[in-house]
């Protein structure tokens, strides 16, 4: 085996590939996550009625926090940090809850509740080593599967032109054309390309789609022109307020997000490293995510989580070099200090992003299935998976079905099928009797033998023990 100094493999976590070899794949991670990083602060800024300056500040600190968080988890500090090829940053999972809390208590209420939620996440991380058996492949795999399935509508909306279905020109054929071209380019590069082209299929698709979108007038450089070159975030840009209702909502979603983190980290280790997730990695990931979520509150950054789309990239390319992901984290760090750099990333049209990332979301789904097959597909496990999928995706498809539920409960489960899936799979795994395929086979054999004995008795045939039962007779 090569020493770390000479190890240049892209497929080794400790490998140190050359910059020109690592850069395209690093940019894939940046481009896959950038829209997901900046969208939550944009949404929350609208909910809380933020000024343009406050909106830019929320976006900037979200990008910066994502870079710091990623680097922190790649290298770790003491027991904190996953030390896995995973991307962390301000994530979508919290948005429905943040909208509800922000609309009622403002950004101050969000940040105060977020601090408590981050601390709760660290508590979960500490005890996970004692309760990890409660999250077997059937639970973690279900969570990852629903993560993938729940992202499809985002990809389709992006291809159609926007994350908002009411946006102007949404669904135009021009958008679909650019999105389809990007998707086809990704497929051609990933299936027929060689070397760096094959591994960088997503960025190849993004470049082709971007170049086509330019003359079509789909690229807006306005944000780049108005953004400042350098801006340094300051601590406590907003005050913190602590409201019980807000705290309960954030604590619940932070605990649920811990399950998503388990799923994403499990998917990363299984799909990218061909092994199960180690307890030390899981504990470090949850402790680190809780710490960064709590610390982010002091700088105005929203809660952090793993990025499922980047898990998909790792699963598709099998590139797990820490250096590759560290370069992506460094890019986000630079973007956080330079709003103009971050604004440039946001010029990528939605159809281009959608066409490039829909394959990634598909890989996440397949990774979930791969996790599920690590366990036996017994009737018990299929019941857990099937019911979790039915309830989570069903409620997500018909949100009005829970309109009479308490508002807090609506905020937690209404816009996040991952929450329903995680709770359902977790509870069913606890309460349903544990049976294996062998147990089920023996049960069927016992039923068949009992039925045969009844038929023999009905016909008055000799029993297996040599006796005879007359039809209708009693002992």
């Amino acid at each position: 085996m090569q020493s770390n100094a000479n190890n240049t493999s892209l497929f080794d976590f400790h490998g140190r590939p050359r910059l020109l070899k690592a850069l395209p794949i690093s940019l894939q991670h940046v481009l896959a996550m950038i829209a997901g990083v900046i969208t939550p602060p944009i949404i929350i800024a609208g909910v809380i009625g933020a000024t343009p300056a406050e909106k830019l500040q929320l976006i900037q600190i979200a990008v910066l926090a994502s870079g710091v968080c990623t680097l922190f988890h790649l290298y770790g500090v003491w027991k904190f940090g996953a030390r896995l090829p995973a991307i962390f940053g301000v994530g979508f999972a919290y948005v429905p809850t943040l909208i509800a809390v922000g609309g009622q208590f403002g950004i101050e209420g969000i940040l105060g509740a977020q601090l408590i939620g981050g601390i709760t996440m660290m508590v979960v991380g500490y005890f996970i080593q004692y309760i990890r058996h409660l999250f077997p492949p059937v639970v973690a795999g279900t969570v990852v599967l629903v993560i993938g399935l729940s992202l499809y509508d985002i990809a389709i909306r992006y291809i159609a032109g926007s994350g908002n279905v009411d946006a102007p020109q949404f669904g135009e054929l021009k958008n679909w054309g650019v999105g389809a071209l990007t998707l086809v380019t990704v497929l051609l590069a990933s299936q027929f390309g060689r070397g760096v082209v094959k591994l960088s299929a997503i960025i190849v698709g993004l470049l082709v789609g971007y170049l086509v979108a330019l003359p079509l007038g789909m690229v807006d450089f306005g944000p780049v022109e108005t953004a400042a070159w350098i801006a340094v975030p300051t601590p406590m840009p907003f005050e913190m307020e602590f409201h019980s209702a807000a705290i309960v909502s954030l604590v619940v979603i932070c605990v649920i997000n811990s399950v998503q983190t388990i799923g994403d980290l499990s998917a990363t280790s299984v799909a990218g490293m061909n092994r199960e997730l180690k307890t030390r990695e899981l504990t470090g990931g949850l402790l680190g995510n809780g710490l960064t979520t709590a610390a982010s509150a002091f700088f105005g950054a929203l809660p952090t989580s793993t990025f499922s789309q980047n898990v998909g990239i790792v699963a598709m390319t099998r590139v797990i070099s820490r250096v590759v992901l560290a370069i992506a984290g460094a890019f986000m760090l630079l973007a956080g200090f330079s709003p103009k750099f971050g604004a440039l990333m946001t010029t990528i049209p939605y159809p281009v992003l959608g066409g490039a990332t829909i394959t990634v979301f598909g890989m996440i789904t397949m990774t979930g299935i791969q996790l599920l097959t690590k366990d036996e597909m017994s009737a018990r496990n299929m019941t857990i998976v099937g019911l979790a999928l039915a309830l989570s995706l069903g409620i997500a498809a018909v949100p009005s079905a829970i309109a009479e539920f308490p508002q807090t409960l609506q905020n937690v489960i209404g816009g996040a099928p991952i929450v329903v899936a995680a709770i359902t799979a977790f509870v069913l795994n606890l309460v349903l009797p544990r049976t294996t395929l062998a147990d089920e086979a023996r049960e069927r054999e016992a039923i068949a033998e009992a039925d045969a004995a009844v038929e023999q008795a009905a016909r008055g045939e000799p029993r297996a023990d040599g006796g005879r039962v007359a039809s209708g007779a009693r002992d």
Side-chain angles (χ1 to χ4, degrees), residues 362-376:
M363 287 300 299
I364 295 171
T365 303
M366 296 311 298
T367 300
I369 295 174
Q370 186 178 8
L371 269 173
L372 288 174
T373 56
K374 291 284 182 181
D375 208 343
E376 291 184 330

Side-chain angles (χ1 to χ4, degrees), residues 7-42:
N7 184 359
T8 61
S9 174
L10 290 167
F11 310 104
D12 186 330
F13 183 63
H14 298 288
R16 297 183 177 181
R18 294 185 300 275
L19 179 61
L20 291 180
K21 194 175 181 181
L23 191 58
I25 307 170
S26 299
L27 288 177
Q28 281 192 150
H29 283 288
V30 173
L31 295 172
M33 73 182 294
I34 187 66
V37 170
I38 66 173
T39 302
I42 290 174

Side-chain angles (χ1 to χ4, degrees), residues 451-463 468-473:
D451 289 342
V454 171
E455 290 179 4
Q456 288 179 339
R459 293 194 299 267
E461 296 178 356
R463 295 198 304 255
R468 185 177 183 86
V469 179
S471 179

Side-chain angles (χ1 to χ4, degrees), residues 27 70 115 135 167 195 221 242 245 301 327 330 389 433 468:
L27 288 177
T70 294
L115 176 61
F135 301 94
F221 289 105
F242 299 91
I327 293 173
L389 288 173
R468 185 177 183 86

Side-chain angles (χ1 to χ4, degrees), residues 101 105-114 239-243 246:
V101 173
F105 303 109
I107 188 64
E108 297 82 4
I110 288 177
L111 298 178
Q114 177 181 324
E239 294 182 0
M240 290 187 188
E241 295 179 1
F242 299 91
H243 304 275

Side-chain angles (χ1 to χ4, degrees), residues 398-418:
V398 192
S400 59
I402 59 172
E404 297 300 318
F405 284 28
Q407 189 62 47
T408 300
L409 188 57
Q410 288 187 51
N411 293 338
V412 172
I413 69 175
I418 175 65

Side-chain angles (χ1 to χ4, degrees), residues 219-430:
V219 180
D220 179 16
F221 289 105
V224 180
E225 296 172 358
T226 57
W229 281 102
I230 299 293
V232 179
T234 56
M236 296 296 292
F238 306 99
E239 294 182 0
M240 290 187 188
E241 295 179 1
F242 299 91
H243 304 275
S244 57
I247 290 172
V248 170
S249 296
L250 261 295
V251 165
V252 169
I253 196 61
C254 280
V255 171
I256 295 301
N257 183 260
S258 296
V259 179
Q260 177 178 338
T261 301
I262 294 172
D264 280 340
L265 294 181
S266 297
T268 298
S269 62
V270 170
M273 309 175 86
N274 294 318
R275 63 169 175 79
E276 294 292 335
L277 183 66
K278 297 177 181 177
T279 300
R280 175 180 56 79
E281 295 166 339
L282 177 56
T283 301
L286 294 180
L287 285 172
N289 198 31
L291 179 62
T292 54
T293 292
S296 294
F298 291 98
F299 293 88
L302 300 177
T304 60
S305 66
T306 47
F307 269 63
S308 301
Q309 56 266 49
N310 295 87
V311 174
I313 293 177
V314 171
M316 186 170 67
T317 64
R318 299 299 179 98
V319 173
I320 59 173
S321 168
R322 177 164 56 183
V323 170
V324 172
L325 281 85
I327 293 173
F331 264 106
M332 298 301 291
L333 195 63
L334 291 174
F337 285 112
S338 176
K340 191 173 288 291
F341 183 84
L344 180 64
M345 294 291 183
T346 68
T347 64
I348 303 172
Y350 278 111
V352 177
L353 281 173
T357 57
I358 192 168
T359 55
V360 174
F361 298 160
M363 287 300 299
I364 295 171
T365 303
M366 296 311 298
T367 300
I369 295 174
Q370 186 178 8
L371 269 173
L372 288 174
T373 56
K374 291 284 182 181
D375 208 343
E376 291 184 330
M377 279 293 96
S378 61
R380 170 190 184 272
N381 288 350
M382 287 193 290
T383 298
I384 293 173
V385 178
L387 192 55
L389 288 173
L391 288 175
S392 60
L393 298 180
I395 291 174
V398 192
S400 59
I402 59 172
E404 297 300 318
F405 284 28
Q407 189 62 47
T408 300
L409 188 57
Q410 288 187 51
N411 293 338
V412 172
I413 69 175
I418 175 65
V419 174
V420 179
I423 293 175
T424 303
F426 179 78
V427 172
L428 289 179
N429 182 62
L430 288 179

